[in-house]
């Protein structure tokens, strides 16, 4: 059974909708451990001071921001705590915008918002209102001591989705990539464009997520199963 990772409320104007936050994804990455090729024993990771070769205890490690090679500004934990955003239990909506106005590159991690205790009616009203007006809410929320910009939007008929978003200065300007910038001066003929459009249309169709699978991950799992069955195990 899914467990909520945050409990709070959506707030805009005088309206408050109690909600619970759930992750909308379950990553299926195949993870490997590092082993010694000679003994087959799992390698242990140690924090070592390269100047002395001694292992450094976790409590003796501090955060440092590199100014130049081997020159750091050391930041104490207490100093960072004074800068942390005030923890609230509210998703503060700042704007309602058109979904088409948001470039997908800004989306980061998806979540589901479920109604909290006593919140089913206002939750459903918000879903219906946003769906019928075609609007997406842009809001701010503090999750795990970090303020995030988020987009809240209706999904299907009765579900609110929320995606954390990147800030504009975190998105690389494509024109800063020389090969992309060079395409601005490339000329194409109407005939070439028509042929390209015909090719696009020949492959056009509705999006069906069930058609797509991570074939590489499945092949890795099959390989592991075959090797395990042959007892070729370290």
């Amino acid at each position: 059974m899914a467990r909520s990772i945050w409990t709070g409320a959506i707030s805009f104007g005088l309206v408050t909708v109690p909600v619970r936050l759930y992750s909308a994804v379950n990553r299926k990455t195949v993870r490997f451990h590092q082993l010694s090729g000679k003994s087959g024993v799992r390698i242990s990771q140690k924090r070592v001071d390269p100047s002395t070769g001694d292992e450094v205890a976790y409590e003796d490690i501090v955060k440092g921001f590199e100014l130049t090679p081997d020159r750091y500004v050391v930041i104490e934990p207490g100093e960072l705590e004074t800068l942390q955003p005030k923890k609230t239990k509210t998703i503060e909506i700042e704007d309602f915008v058109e979904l088409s106005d948001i470039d997908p590159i800004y989306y980061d991690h998806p979540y589901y918002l479920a109604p909290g205790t006593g919140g089913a009616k206002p939750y459903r009203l918000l879903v219906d209102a946003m769906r019928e007006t075609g609007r997406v809410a842009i809001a701010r929320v503090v999750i795990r001591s970090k303020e995030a910009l988020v987009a809240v939007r209706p999904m299907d008929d009765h579900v609110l989705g929320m995606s954390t978003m990147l800030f504009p200065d975190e998105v690389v300007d494509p024109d800063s990539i020389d090969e992309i910038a060079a395409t601005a001066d490339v000329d194409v003929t109407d005939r070439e464009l028509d042929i390209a459009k015909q090719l696009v249309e020949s492959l056009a169709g509705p999006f069906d997520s069930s058609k797509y699978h991570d074939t590489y991950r499945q092949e890795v799992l099959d390989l592991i199963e075959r090797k395990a069955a042959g007892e070729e195990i370290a």
Side-chain angles (χ1 to χ4, degrees):
M1 182 177 179
R3 296 180 61 183
S4 64
I5 58 177
W6 183 90
T7 302
I10 298 174
S11 176
F12 60 104
L14 300 178
V15 179
T16 300
V17 183
V19 292
R20 296 179 183 274
L21 186 68
Y22 294 83
S23 179
V25 296
N26 181 17
R27 304 291 185 187
K28 300 293 186 179
T29 303
V30 179
R31 299 184 180 277
F32 292 98
H33 293 295
Q34 293 183 327
L35 309 177
S36 167
K38 295 181 179 180
S39 66
V41 176
R42 184 175 174 180
I43 299 298
S44 63
Q45 303 288 345
K46 294 184 177 181
R47 301 176 179 86
V48 176
D49 183 339
S51 65
T52 63
D54 297 332
E55 186 174 355
V56 181
Y58 179 79
E59 58 270 18
D60 292 333
I61 296 177
V62 297
K63 294 180 182 292
F65 181 84
E66 187 175 47
L67 298 176
T68 58
D70 297 325
R71 184 165 175 257
Y72 302 89
V73 171
V74 176
I75 303 297
E76 300 295 338
E79 294 173 320
L80 287 178
E81 289 174 2
T82 62
L83 303 178
Q84 289 180 352
K86 181 181 178 181
K87 292 184 180 180
T88 66
K89 287 292 186 178
T90 307
I91 301 172
E92 295 282 355
I93 294 178
E94 298 186 0
D95 300 289
F96 285 98
V97 303
E98 296 283 349
L99 177 61
S100 59
D101 289 343
I102 306 174
D103 191 304
I105 198 171
Y106 286 101
Y107 293 126
D108 186 17
H109 188 93
Y111 297 90
Y112 290 129
L113 287 169
T117 304
K121 184 68 175 287
Y123 177 94
R124 183 58 188 265
L125 283 172
L126 181 58
V127 173
D128 291 348
M130 292 177 66
R131 185 180 64 252
E132 293 191 15
T133 58
R135 297 289 177 172
V136 176
I138 303 299
R140 293 177 186 267
V141 61
V142 177
I143 303 175
R144 300 190 182 98
S145 300
K146 181 180 179 182
E147 184 181 64
L149 184 69
V150 299
V152 179
R153 64 186 180 90
M155 301 172 63
D156 298 328
D157 291 333
H158 60 284
V159 179
L160 272 183
M162 186 186 87
S163 294
T164 52
M165 301 179 69
L166 302 174
F167 287 100
D169 60 354
E170 295 178 299
V171 178
V172 175
D173 183 352
D175 287 335
S176 66
I177 301 173
D178 293 339
E179 293 86 349
I180 294 178
T183 63
D185 299 324
V186 176
D187 294 324
V188 297
T189 66
D190 291 341
R191 184 172 180 229
E192 290 170 330
L193 181 57
D194 288 339
I195 293 173
K197 289 164 63 177
Q198 289 174 14
L199 177 59
V200 170
E201 289 299 329
S202 70
L203 298 173
F207 176 68
D208 180 4
S209 60
S210 64
K211 290 171 51 179
Y212 310 103
H213 305 278
D214 187 344
T215 56
Y216 174 74
R217 176 169 57 86
Q218 188 57 53
E219 289 173 354
V220 172
L221 292 173
D222 291 342
L223 172 64
I224 292 171
E225 186 175 348
R226 291 196 306 270
K227 297 201 72 172
E231 295 301 320
E232 295 181 22
I233 302 173

